[in-house]
Amino acid sequence: MANKGKKSDNKNLIIGICIAAVVVIAIIIAVVLVTRGNTINDSYFVSDGTKYVLTLDANDISMEDAEYNPIKAHLVYTYSGDEITGLKAYYEYADNATAKAAADYLKSNYEESDQAKIATDGKYVVYTSPEEDYKDLTASDVKQQIEFMEMLKNMGSGDTEEFEEVEETTDNE
């Protein structure tokens, strides 16, 4: 009888181990599926304590081949203290397929240096700049440049509205 109790205990132990293994595998599969579809979204393109972001609209950007002009471009400067630690340009397209075609075009028409990289992340073409592109910049320089560019964009949109109002009043006279 003692052998029968031992066999039962071993059987339960083996069943418990198998169930635990199945649960672990299910968790791993769930994590992989969730992170695989996890692409960057608009909430990433906000300046915070680790990065400065400059967003440019389509009319502020032009590429050699107009077919591959992005909807927007986001320049993301990462920093630590006053040191710039990275620079990536995220070119936003209407969908994943357009981004993939644009990335393929850029890779085939522009030589990537050993350090610069072109990749896709969902609807974005991501250009990772080599260190030499930002090594002489400081975080405070970048912050000032971004504030200046945003001021110009705000002035530009205000001037357009004022011009349209003046044009309407002269047309009515």
Side-chain angles (χ1 to χ4, degrees):
M1 286 261 179
N3 274 346
K4 191 173 184 184
K6 235 180 189 180
K7 284 183 184 180
S8 174
D9 288 342
N10 287 341
K11 199 178 214 182
N12 288 340
L13 181 63
I14 291 171
I15 290 172
I17 291 171
C18 289
I19 290 173
V22 168
V23 169
V24 168
I25 290 171
I27 290 171
I28 291 171
I29 290 171
V31 168
V32 168
L33 291 175
V34 168
T35 58
R36 202 174 85 186
N38 191 14
T39 59
I40 294 172
N41 59 38
D42 289 338
S43 65
Y44 177 74
F45 302 114
V46 177
S47 296
D48 60 23
T50 61
K51 65 184 180 290
Y52 288 121
V53 180
L54 174 62
T55 299
L56 303 169
D57 295 323
N59 40 337
D60 298 328
I61 313 159
S62 77
M63 291 198 166
E64 202 170 289
D65 189 341
E67 178 182 354
Y68 298 108
N69 275 351
I71 297 170
K72 290 181 183 177
H74 307 277
L75 301 177
V76 178
Y77 296 85
T78 53
Y79 67 92
S80 177
D82 203 34
E83 179 186 352
I84 298 296
T85 57
L87 170 59
K88 290 185 179 187
Y90 294 83
Y91 298 103
E92 183 177 340
Y93 290 89
D95 53 44
N96 295 7
T98 308
K100 174 87 171 88
D104 291 343
Y105 168 79
L106 292 170
K107 286 178 183 178
S108 66
N109 289 300
Y110 299 98
E111 271 188 46
E112 289 184 76
S113 75
D114 292 339
Q115 297 159 338
K117 302 284 184 250
I118 297 172
T120 56
D121 187 347
K123 66 180 182 174
Y124 298 95
V125 171
V126 183
Y127 175 83
T128 304
S129 295
E131 185 178 357
E132 64 221 24
D133 287 356
Y134 57 84
K135 70 178 180 182
D136 295 329
L137 292 174
T138 64
S140 51
D141 291 340
V142 170
K143 182 179 179 188
Q144 286 178 343
Q145 290 173 359
I146 290 173
E147 288 172 350
F148 180 72
M149 293 294 289
E150 288 174 352
M151 181 189 72
L152 289 177
K153 280 189 346 186
N154 291 336
M155 285 177 51
S157 65
D159 290 345
T160 304
E161 291 170 9
E162 291 173 21
F163 177 73
E164 289 170 357
E165 289 175 17
V166 170
E167 190 174 274
E168 286 176 17
T169 55
T170 54
D171 287 345
N172 293 335
E173 292 176 357

